[in-house]
Amino acid sequence: METPAPGNSLVAFACRHPMTAAWCIAFAFLAAAQGTWHAIPPYHDALTNWDAAAALGGHPWFPFLLERDTGHPPLVAWVLGVLGSLLPGRLLLLHLLSWGAGALFAASVAGVARRVAGSAGAVAAGALTLLHPVVFGQALQFNLDLYLAAFSWLGVWAAIEGRPRTLAVALTLAAFAKLNGGASLLPFVACAVWAWKQKGETAWRAWWPLWLPVVLLLAYHVAKFLAVGHLFDSGEFEGGRQLALVVSPLEYARRLKHGAALTLQYNGNLVALALLLAMGAAIGITPILRHSFAVWLAEPVQPHAAASMPWQPRTRRGALLLALGMAGTHLLLHAIRERLPLVRYFMVCYPAITLLLLAAGLHLVPRRPRAGMLAVCCLLVPLLLLKVHPILSAWMPGWTRERVQNPPTGVKTNYENSLEFVDVFALLPEVGSGLSGQHVQAPWPLYRYLYEKEFGIVESELSPPPEGGENGAILVFSGTPRDRPDAGPESLVPPQGYERGAVWQRNRVWIAALEPASEDAAR
């Protein structure tokens, strides 16, 4: 690598600290792109983490929840709670933390790609990760899945670079970010066991980055049981079925199929996988390409540290296998849960597809390795951008638009898998104004924003109908799939005693009011 000119301090810093520079660039991009929505409150399930942060901020020395405990280690909520108790603007702090997690995710994947596919591959991998519609949408929310993905891939980067302390910190953070975060250790354990069996080494001291997170996690759960009387959730969500597991191989296979579909469908990953298979087939049937690819896989990844640890991939093949192991582990383990998974659970799997795609692109055009990667980016980046919000593809013809949107209009969704959820908050002030002074039955999560002034969505909060009192308006939300008719608000069938009232709509998001029927209508 050439030494940068002394006068160019930014270039010099980026060359000396590429990971830090990548994080700064990604964070600045997210803050600039999403800063307009800095006042948007947590959406849907993220409200649970917001409430946990509020509770933990009141007793930061006691990092356990006494009620409404979902079972996840409350690291992320605890950090927000502590910061919120020390600094003003808890909502802005939420977004800063999520932008930081999104930037760390992209920077970590870029760092891995830099060792596998060079500097150009790092830029491509970082862009494809950061601009993915699910990742970009989650960076404006407060769900734990983005933090788990960021810490897990920080661990992959640390392993490839041969940084045991960073690996230990990353895996500990992953284990404490979400209940299934401990699964991120398994690919590293498999890598270490393989190296041990191949070389017969028994340098157990080098394994400490893997067992330290396990010890700390076990100590946390023992302390939690002694403090609050339960190991995981408090049984208040879904009657204690939050952590129930499947009981038959058939149910496991169904959930595994469902998880694979959520990983690939509608969000651009299926196109990426198709490209990967096509390029893989081209390399496989072309002897010259096949030979160069095999030689390339066997080359060392040139880690930062000279000493080789048992959990450290030695070659590009090892690095790609570790990436595949991270994706496969989470895909396989999510299927053992009885409750069906959500799209955002599988963000941790996306970089494996990206890295394999870039690796294949490097060998698609002989003597011009960057041409294949450039072609991949030129195809996928515009596609991913079109999926960030439906308005970006509104100019396309109907048939094409429906296949580009994430998801297509006919697929029921709560809108959290892209930026489409911001349309919900554009409608809520109009709903609050239109129903001001009325009793309203609102579905989850709308009632949190309409009944409470905490988030500043409505000027005067609405209230639910009193028990035994007169009925109020019923709100039907297109983001509540079980209540939403396929044909839109015009096909709503009011229950007896109600009639269709006002409809508020923005792009594909709508909220309809079913109001008590007038006496004339009732007759």
Side-chain angles (χ1 to χ4, degrees):
M1 181 182 296
E2 295 182 2
T3 304
N8 197 338
S9 57
L10 289 178
V11 174
F13 176 83
C15 292
R16 289 195 303 268
H17 309 284
M19 181 69 168
T20 304
W23 183 88
C24 291
I25 293 171
F27 181 86
F29 172 79
L30 285 174
Q34 299 185 349
T36 303
W37 301 295
H38 69 276
I40 279 187
Y43 179 64
H44 223 275
D45 289 351
L47 284 165
T48 304
N49 303 321
W50 173 266
D51 294 339
L56 293 169
H59 48 78
W61 57 88
F62 185 78
F64 308 107
L65 292 170
L66 299 175
E67 57 184 15
R68 296 186 62 78
D69 186 357
T70 60
H72 297 296
L75 170 67
V76 178
W78 181 83
V79 170
L80 178 60
V82 171
L83 291 176
S85 65
L86 298 175
L87 300 170
R90 188 157 65 104
L91 195 53
L92 178 59
L93 292 171
L94 177 154
H95 290 301
L96 291 174
L97 287 175
S98 292
W99 291 337
L104 181 61
F105 187 24
S108 299
V109 176
V112 174
R114 178 172 169 266
R115 290 301 183 188
V116 172
S119 299
V123 174
L128 291 173
T129 300
L130 198 60
L131 296 177
H132 194 284
V134 180
V135 177
F136 196 73
Q138 287 297 314
L140 195 59
Q141 301 178 48
F142 193 53
N143 291 306
L144 303 179
D145 310 275
L146 182 62
Y147 294 84
L148 171 59
F151 297 143
S152 298
W153 281 91
L154 178 63
V156 175
W157 173 80
I160 292 174
E161 294 287 332
R163 299 172 181 260
R165 285 175 292 184
T166 305
L167 178 62
V169 170
L171 294 182
T172 300
L173 290 174
F176 280 85
K178 201 177 178 190
L179 189 58
N180 60 312
S184 295
L185 278 79
L186 298 180
F188 302 97
V189 172
C191 184
V193 170
W194 175 259
W196 171 65
K197 292 189 68 175
Q198 290 292 103
K199 291 191 173 184
E201 298 175 351
T202 55
W204 301 109
R205 291 189 302 274
W207 288 58
W208 73 267
L210 305 185
W211 58 252
L212 180 62
V214 177
V215 171
L216 293 177
L217 193 62
L218 289 175
Y220 163 80
H221 280 292
V222 170
K224 177 179 178 178
F225 181 77
L226 295 176
V228 298
H230 58 266
L231 279 175
F232 301 113
D233 66 327
S234 53
E236 296 165 83
F237 294 90
E238 300 182 1
R241 302 296 294 173
Q242 275 276 99
L243 306 178
L245 305 180
V246 296
V247 294
S248 71
L250 182 60
E251 287 299 312
Y252 178 81
R254 287 175 179 170
R255 277 154 180 76
L256 186 60
K257 180 181 178 182
H258 181 70
L262 294 182
T263 304
L264 298 173
Q265 281 183 331
Y266 310 134
N267 55 28
N269 289 341
L270 190 59
V271 175
L273 181 62
L275 282 174
L276 174 60
L277 294 177
M279 289 193 294
I283 292 172
I285 63 176
T286 307
I288 296 177
L289 298 181
R290 186 170 65 245
H291 174 72
S292 67
F293 190 64
V295 171
W296 178 84
L297 285 173
E299 292 176 355
V301 289
Q302 299 178 349
H304 173 77
S308 183
M309 304 293 180
W311 35 260
Q312 180 182 7
R314 275 75 164 177
T315 63
R316 289 190 173 102
R317 177 186 288 108
L320 291 175
L321 286 176
L322 181 59
L324 280 173
M326 181 62 70
T329 296
H330 283 279
L331 183 62
L332 292 171
L333 287 182
H334 267 301
I336 69 174
R337 191 180 175 195
E338 184 181 78
R339 189 182 184 218
L340 289 175
L342 303 176
V343 171
R344 54 182 158 84
Y345 293 179
F346 301 102
M347 282 188 293
V348 68
C349 303
Y350 299 171
I353 300 174
T354 300
L355 292 170
L356 288 172
L357 192 60
L358 295 177
L362 271 175
H363 297 83
L364 195 62
V365 183
R367 300 182 182 179
R368 300 194 65 181
R370 294 184 179 181
M373 289 196 302
L374 180 61
V376 167
C377 287
C378 288
L379 178 62
L380 285 182
V381 167
L383 176 63
L384 295 179
L385 287 174
L386 288 173
K387 292 178 175 291
V388 165
H389 192 284
I391 197 67
L392 298 175
S393 59
W395 56 273
M396 304 178 76
W399 185 90
T400 306
R401 182 178 64 249
E402 285 300 315
R403 279 148 186 80
V404 167
Q405 288 179 340
N406 172 40
T409 302
V411 177
K412 295 184 177 182
T413 175
N414 65 0
Y415 306 115
E416 70 175 1
N417 300 316
S418 67
L419 273 188
E420 192 170 13
F421 79 98
V422 301
D423 291 343
V424 179
F425 295 101
L427 291 181
L428 287 175
E430 300 176 20
V431 175
S433 176
L435 299 176
S436 179
Q438 298 186 37
H439 295 304
V440 176
Q441 300 178 45
W444 167 266
L446 300 192
Y447 65 77
R448 288 292 304 271
Y449 313 119
L450 295 174
Y451 295 169
E452 304 170 12
K453 294 188 69 174
E454 175 188 9
F455 301 115
I457 299 297
V458 293
E459 294 184 2
S460 59
E461 66 269 25
L462 306 179
S463 60
E467 293 186 13
E470 61 180 20
N471 295 332
I474 299 174
L475 291 184
V476 180
F477 174 40
S478 58
T480 306
R482 65 176 178 272
D483 298 334
R484 182 187 106 177
D486 292 328
E490 62 276 2
S491 64
L492 279 174
V493 178
Q496 186 175 2
Y498 284 85
E499 61 184 1
R500 277 183 295 200
V503 175
W504 300 269
Q505 186 161 3
R506 186 181 180 91
N507 301 315
R508 301 193 304 176
V509 178
W510 55 264
I511 300 172
L514 302 179
E515 300 180 350
S518 61
E519 294 184 5
D520 293 339
R523 287 196 296 267

